[in-house]
Amino acid sequence: MTWLTHTTFAGLTAWIFDLKVGVAVLGSTAPDWTEDLFGLGEHRGVTHYLVLWFGLVILFLLFALEGFKVAIYPLSFCYGGLSHIFLDMLTKTGIPLVGKKRIRIGGLITTGKISEWIFLVLVVIFLFPLTRLDFKFGYSKWKNYYEQEIIDKKEYEERRFKLW
């Protein structure tokens, strides 16, 4: 996948999961630029291991759940990296598992080709409206305002499903 697909997907889903969007977007490209940073020659090598990014997400999620508020930043970054790995699993090349074995889900997408652009358009069509409708898993700022009695029921009902 190209950086545009990685960053768009990570940004939209990070918003829905109430993570730090900018940090997640940076993390969504990390598996690729860390290859250059550490001088690794193989693309989709060590930096593309699912267990690495999944483990980091779990680790920082545990810290965040324990009340370490600053953990939201590395959690968001690692979530972006994990979203990168997930999207690369959808491509024909897949990601490394062990040795020469690779993980592929479907394998219908080719990086930079029409299949990726169709996928990107579908991601935006399905996820962007959720960001505009204030949809977050179990959270809505308008519902929160209503419960805190900052706005009344009428204003809550008027605003909760508006796109703009």
Side-chain angles (χ1 to χ4, degrees), residues 2-153:
T2 62
W3 66 270
L4 181 62
T5 305
H6 285 301
T7 57
T8 302
F9 182 82
L12 292 173
T13 56
W15 192 94
I16 292 169
F17 291 132
D18 204 20
L19 297 170
K20 301 297 180 187
V21 173
V23 179
V25 167
L26 178 63
S28 73
T29 59
D32 287 342
W33 56 258
T34 51
E35 291 172 341
D36 295 333
L37 184 69
F38 295 114
L40 304 172
E42 179 187 7
H43 180 60
R44 291 193 187 172
V46 175
T47 62
H48 283 68
Y49 281 130
L50 175 64
V51 69
L52 168 71
W53 292 100
F54 186 75
L56 289 170
V57 165
I58 296 300
L59 174 70
F60 290 115
L61 180 60
L62 292 174
F63 279 114
L65 293 174
E66 284 296 318
F68 294 100
K69 293 186 185 227
V70 74
I72 192 71
Y73 293 97
L75 173 61
S76 298
F77 183 85
C78 294
Y79 169 77
L82 184 62
S83 74
H84 180 110
I85 301 307
F86 170 72
L87 292 181
D88 279 357
M89 287 170 48
L90 299 175
T91 66
K92 290 181 179 181
T93 308
I95 60 166
L97 179 60
V98 176
K100 300 280 183 195
K101 295 188 186 282
R102 302 188 80 73
I103 302 173
R104 289 177 201 81
I105 301 173
L108 299 174
I109 300 171
T110 304
T111 301
K113 301 295 183 194
I114 190 71
S115 56
E116 180 179 354
W117 306 126
I118 291 170
F119 176 79
L120 178 59
V121 167
L122 291 173
V123 163
V124 171
I125 287 171
F126 286 106
L127 295 180
F128 182 74
L130 297 178
T131 66
R132 301 310 314 146
L133 293 172
D134 192 35
F135 176 84
K136 293 186 180 181
F137 283 97
Y139 174 82
S140 163
K141 70 179 176 186
W142 299 114
K143 184 176 182 183
N144 193 24
Y145 292 159
Y146 172 65
E147 289 172 349
Q148 294 177 5
E149 298 180 356
I150 295 171
I151 62 173
D152 61 14
K153 185 175 184 177

Side-chain angles (χ1 to χ4, degrees), residues 132-135 140 142-143 155-163:
R132 301 310 314 146
L133 293 172
D134 192 35
F135 176 84
S140 163
W142 299 114
K143 184 176 182 183
E155 188 174 5
Y156 165 66
E157 290 175 350
E158 287 174 354
R159 292 181 178 226
R160 66 182 168 164
F161 294 120
K162 288 199 174 189
L163 287 174

